[in-house]
């Protein structure tokens, strides 16, 4: 006996087959799954930096955001800028500085200030709020990708973003329902939230810029120039604004120094790995994959800061991963 599917005309069968192929063929690519897996590793690295910053702020009273990020740019300068300087011809450091130094200067300023603002926010608000508010990067990336990169998203991409943001909704609900949230005062929390959102906006701009540069040029050039200008900018900012804070740090306390070094190492590994995901998934899917950082950070908060565990945490993680996979199931986003 023939099924209803068998009774369909041949052209409708082909249409259904083509629709399935168009929307889900990308899921058969190992490159895609590798990028998604690397995205989860990057989320764990970001979770590490968030937890370390919370410990430095709450337990050791370290309030020096620029100093905390300065070592990152120095490490990038010593590695990627050195490699760039060893190149010759059009890809060499001098030629890059001559032709597009101002572009990298602008991106470096935004990146330094984004890192500064997000770390600064820990002085006013909580780990939970910061991890929730950093999702503001996603609409910024969507808008800039559409306007600047001229990317045209399909319905399935909107569905993927929507599913991922449902995970944020779960975390907001769990956060509101939690009785273990630290009360830092309404005005203080509001200040921290605004500072965090400003940092998230800058992150969105730099993510799109990085995608553009690594696709048009390469990751060594971008990271090398970011390390060069980032070291100079953060160095000046450190000398001008945070000299008293750095002087007051206990440089003989191995735990403080170890945490700062661990923070810089984790963030350096994050920056060095980001281009692998951006080149494969694009800046929007990249930021969707980073939403799971919120889940990992809250689990760390349960273990380290006595946050109350909520069943919605696990549900949010399912939404994050599912939304990322749905978004990436369409292999190519059409550009004009």
């Amino acid at each position: 006996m023939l099924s209803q599917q068998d009774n369909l005309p041949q052209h409708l069968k082909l249409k259904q087959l083509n629709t399935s192929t168009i929307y889900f063929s990308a899921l058969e690519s190992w490159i895609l799954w590798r990028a998604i897996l690397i995205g989860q590793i990057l989320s764990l690295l970001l979770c590490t930096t968030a937890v370390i910053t919370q410990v430095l702020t709450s337990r050791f009273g370290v309030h020096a955001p620029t100093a905390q990020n300065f070592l990152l740019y120095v490490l990038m300068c010593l590695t990627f800028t050195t490699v760039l300087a060893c190149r010759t011809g059009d890809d060499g450091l001098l030629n890059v500085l001559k032709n597009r130094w101002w572009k990298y200067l602008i991106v470096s300023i935004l990146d330094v200030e984004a890192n500064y603002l997000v770390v600064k926010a820990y002085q006013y608000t909580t780990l939970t709020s910061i991890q929730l508010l950093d999702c503001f990067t996603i609409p910024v990336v969507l808008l800039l990708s559409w306007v600047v990169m001229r990317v045209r998203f399909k319905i399935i991409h909107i569905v993927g973003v929507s599913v991922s943001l449902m995970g944020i909704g779960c975390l907001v609900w769990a956060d509101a329902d939690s009785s273990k949230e630290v009360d830092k005062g309404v005005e203080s929390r509001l200040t921290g939230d605004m500072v965090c959102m400003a940092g998230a906006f800058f992150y969105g701009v730099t993510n799109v810029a990085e995608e553009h540069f690594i696709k048009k040029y390469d990751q060594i050039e971008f990271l090398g120039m970011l390390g060069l200008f980032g070291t100079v900018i953060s160095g000046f900012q450190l000398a001008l604004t945070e000299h008293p804070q750095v002087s007051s740090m206990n440089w003989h306390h191995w735990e403080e120094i170890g945490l700062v070094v661990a923070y810089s190492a984790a963030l350096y590994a994050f920056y060095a790995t980001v281009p692998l995901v951006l080149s494969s998934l694009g800046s929007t899917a990249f930021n969707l994959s980073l939403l799971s950082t919120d889940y990992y950070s809250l689990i760390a908060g349960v273990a380290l800061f006595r946050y109350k565990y909520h069943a919605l945490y696990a549900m949010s993680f399912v939404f994050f991963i599912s939304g990322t996979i749905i978004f990436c199931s369409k292999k190519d986003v059409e550009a004009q």
Side-chain angles (χ1 to χ4, degrees):
M1 183 176 180
L2 295 177
S3 65
Q4 187 177 359
Q5 178 72 22
D6 293 332
N7 289 328
L8 288 175
Q10 186 65 24
H11 71 279
L12 291 180
K13 292 181 181 179
L14 291 175
K15 184 177 180 180
Q16 290 182 349
L17 180 60
N18 290 337
T19 301
S20 177
T21 301
I22 287 172
Y23 284 102
F24 300 106
S25 60
L27 297 180
E28 300 176 0
S29 171
W30 162 243
I31 296 177
L32 169 66
W33 290 106
R34 184 189 66 177
I36 292 176
L37 177 60
I38 294 175
Q40 295 311 297
I41 296 174
L42 291 176
S43 293
L44 288 171
L45 289 173
L46 275 188
C47 171
T48 301
T49 63
V51 171
I52 290 175
T53 301
Q54 181 69 41
V55 172
L56 285 171
T57 301
S58 61
R59 296 185 182 177
F60 296 100
V62 176
H63 302 296
T66 307
Q68 196 170 317
N69 291 298
F70 177 66
L71 182 57
L72 161 69
Y73 296 106
V74 171
L75 291 173
M76 292 174 62
C77 185
L78 291 175
T79 53
F80 295 107
T81 309
T82 300
V83 173
L84 185 60
C86 293
R87 289 181 173 180
T88 58
D90 294 339
D91 296 331
L93 176 61
L94 294 179
N95 189 68
V96 173
L97 284 171
K98 179 181 177 181
N99 293 323
R100 42 189 177 271
W101 64 271
W102 60 274
K103 297 180 181 179
Y104 286 112
L105 176 62
I106 294 173
V107 174
S108 298
I109 292 173
L110 293 175
D111 191 76
V112 169
E113 299 311 319
N115 284 326
Y116 170 83
L117 289 171
V118 171
V119 174
K120 185 73 173 179
Y122 282 88
Q123 299 179 27
Y124 304 102
T125 188
T126 62
L127 174 65
T128 306
S129 295
I130 290 174
Q131 293 305 307
L132 293 176
L133 288 169
D134 65 6
C135 70
F136 181 63
T137 301
I138 292 176
V140 175
V141 169
L142 283 170
L143 179 61
L144 291 177
S145 295
W146 185 73
V147 174
V148 179
M149 302 288 287
R150 303 189 65 81
V151 172
R152 296 298 178 257
F153 298 103
K154 298 298 184 180
I155 294 297
I156 196 165
H157 299 121
I158 304 302
V159 172
V161 172
S162 301
V163 171
S164 294
L165 293 181
M166 287 173 66
I168 291 295
C170 290
L171 292 184
V172 171
W173 187 359
D175 185 34
D177 194 48
S178 175
S179 61
K180 293 295 186 179
E181 186 66 75
V182 180
D183 184 11
K184 293 195 174 186
V186 176
E187 292 185 2
S188 177
R189 289 283 296 274
L190 181 60
T191 299
D193 292 348
M194 294 300 102
V195 170
C196 181
M197 289 184 69
F201 174 81
F202 288 160
Y203 275 139
V205 177
T206 57
N207 284 166
V208 175
E210 181 172 0
E211 181 186 0
H212 168 74
F213 282 120
I214 66 175
K215 288 182 175 180
K216 188 173 183 179
Y217 304 108
D218 62 70
Q219 67 185 69
I220 297 296
E221 178 178 312
F222 177 83
L223 295 175
M225 296 301 291
L226 184 63
L228 176 62
F229 285 116
T231 300
V232 175
I233 295 167
S234 59
F236 272 113
Q237 186 167 309
L238 172 61
L240 292 174
T241 63
E242 293 184 2
H243 184 266
Q245 290 89 332
V246 174
S247 300
S248 63
M249 288 181 63
N250 186 358
W251 293 100
H252 300 289
H253 200 297
W254 68 269
E255 289 186 353
E256 285 187 41
I257 304 304
L259 286 172
V260 172
V261 172
Y263 171 90
S264 300
L267 202 55
Y268 174 83
F270 175 84
Y271 271 72
T273 312
V274 162
L276 298 177
V277 181
L278 278 178
S279 59
S280 300
L281 301 182
S283 52
T284 303
F286 164 68
N287 280 278
L288 289 178
S289 68
L290 292 185
L291 285 178
S292 53
T293 303
D294 303 344
Y295 170 78
Y296 298 137
S297 297
L298 289 171
I299 295 301
V302 171
L304 300 176
F305 307 116
R306 297 183 179 179
Y307 289 1
K308 181 181 178 181
Y309 181 79
H310 202 291
L312 288 174
Y313 291 170
M315 187 179 296
S316 70
F317 182 75
V318 173
F319 280 128
F320 293 149
I321 299 300
S322 300
T324 303
I325 293 175
I326 291 172
F327 186 94
C328 297
S329 63
K330 179 71 168 66
K331 183 177 181 181
D332 297 314
V333 179
E334 294 182 3
Q336 297 180 352

